[in-house]
Amino acid sequence: DTEVTQTPKHLVMGMTNKKSLKCEQHMGHRAMYWYKQKAKKPPELMFVYSYEKLSINESVPSRFSPECPNSSLLNLHLHALQPEDSALYLCASSRGLAGGRAKNIQYFGAGTRLSVL
Amino acid sequence: TQLLEQSPQFLSIQEGENLTVYCNSSSVFSSLQWYRQEPGEGPVLLVTVVTGGEVKKLKRLTFQFGDARKDSSLHITAAQPGDTGLYLCAGSSNSGYALNFGKGTSLLVTP
């Protein structure tokens, strides 16, 4: 089973709303990631968690706030977003981070399509 | 950041044709992944190559990893409309945390 589950699949929110994206995996992976993807572009890394601790924040604005409650769950809290934040938000997981050839093969969820009005 | 140059960026072909997508870098990768992504969905892992010179086959898809582990190719034989999608190569290094993605190849196969 290489399944990463993301909810909701679609989300429409106003610029003053607060919402959360959720991601779950039960593969025993200890690294989890959030990516942002615009149409026909590659995913752009936002955050990396390793063993439930934030390892990388790729200079993401504070209106995006990640949270890793446990090794299976990853949330992305959204507040005061802008229309340009509309995108497909992808969660991924891997066995670990770098250090071995197969260790950080990443498996992606189906994504949340976010529209900010 | 280790750059991956992916080409072509767009490809429109007819059913039954063959095609090759290239992924090149000046850097060495410990492994390289190929993903296919359909509109509105997440990337789906097709294959991982880890050994220089490695060739892997997945039905009509053939993946090669260069001897020096700096480049890779994806060859599709007798393309079908179901092959339509965005193909992404992504490389991992021993020292980096993140995947380095190519810019993607948007493939359209028409009946």
Side-chain angles (χ1 to χ4, degrees), chain A residues 34-89:
Chain A
W34 279 116
Y35 288 87
K36 174 183 176 181
Q37 188 180 27
K38 293 282 197 179
K40 299 209 168 148
K41 299 290 185 185
E44 296 174 18
L45 183 66
M46 299 174 73
F47 302 104
V48 180
Y49 273 83
S50 175
Y51 289 85
E52 295 127 67
K53 292 194 181 338
L54 183 63
S55 294
I56 292 178
N57 175 342
E58 291 284 353
S59 303
V60 179
S62 59
R63 57 186 184 268
F64 295 91
S65 175
E67 178 198 17
C68 191
N70 60 56
S71 60
S72 300
L73 294 173
L74 187 65
N75 298 322
L76 185 63
H77 302 298
L78 314 173
H79 174 55
L81 294 194
Q82 304 296 311
E84 60 264 27
D85 295 322
S86 299
L88 182 68
Y89 286 83

Side-chain angles (χ1 to χ4, degrees), chain A residues 9 33 35 37 40-43 45 48 55-56 88 90 97-102 104-111 113, chain B residues 10 30-31 33 35 37 40-43 45 48 50-51 69 86 88 92-99 101-103 106:
Chain A
K9 191 158 177 63
Y33 311 77
Y35 288 87
Q37 188 180 27
K40 299 209 168 148
K41 299 290 185 185
L45 183 66
V48 180
S55 294
I56 292 178
L88 182 68
L90 293 164
L97 294 183
R101 283 182 167 180
N104 64 344
I105 295 171
Q106 292 182 28
Y107 297 90
F108 285 84
R113 171 70 59 192
Chain B
F10 299 99
S30 60
S31 68
Q33 282 79 254
Y35 294 88
Q37 185 177 22
E41 299 291 330
L45 181 67
T48 297
V50 296
T51 305
R69 305 208 315 271
L86 180 67
L88 295 159
S92 304
S93 70
N94 280 330
S95 57
Y97 289 114
L99 282 179
F101 279 94
K103 290 192 173 180
S106 185

Side-chain angles (χ1 to χ4, degrees), chain B residues 3 9 13 25 30-31 70 91-92 101:
Chain B
L3 293 177
Q9 195 172 349
I13 61 172
S25 176
S30 60
S31 68
K70 293 182 179 181
S92 304
F101 279 94

Side-chain angles (χ1 to χ4, degrees), chain B residues 9-101:
Chain B
Q9 195 172 349
F10 299 99
L11 194 52
S12 180
I13 61 172
Q14 290 198 308
E15 184 175 2
E17 292 184 36
N18 302 331
L19 66 115
T20 303
V21 178
Y22 299 94
C23 192
N24 298 304
S25 176
S26 58
S27 303
V28 175
F29 291 99
S30 60
S31 68
L32 198 138
Q33 282 79 254
W34 284 93
Y35 294 88
R36 187 177 85 203
Q37 185 177 22
E38 299 190 22
E41 299 291 330
V44 175
L45 181 67
L46 296 174
V47 80
T48 297
V49 285
V50 296
T51 305
E54 185 175 6
V55 176
K56 283 192 173 178
K57 292 197 172 193
L58 188 67
K59 296 183 181 178
R60 293 174 294 99
L61 278 60
T62 302
F63 304 86
Q64 285 190 295
F65 201 16
D67 291 341
R69 305 208 315 271
K70 293 182 179 181
D71 54 86
S72 182
S73 64
L74 157 62
H75 183 77
I76 302 180
T77 304
Q80 299 178 0
D83 296 326
T84 293
L86 180 67
Y87 288 81
L88 295 159
C89 64
S92 304
S93 70
N94 280 330
S95 57
Y97 289 114
L99 282 179
N100 297 285
F101 279 94

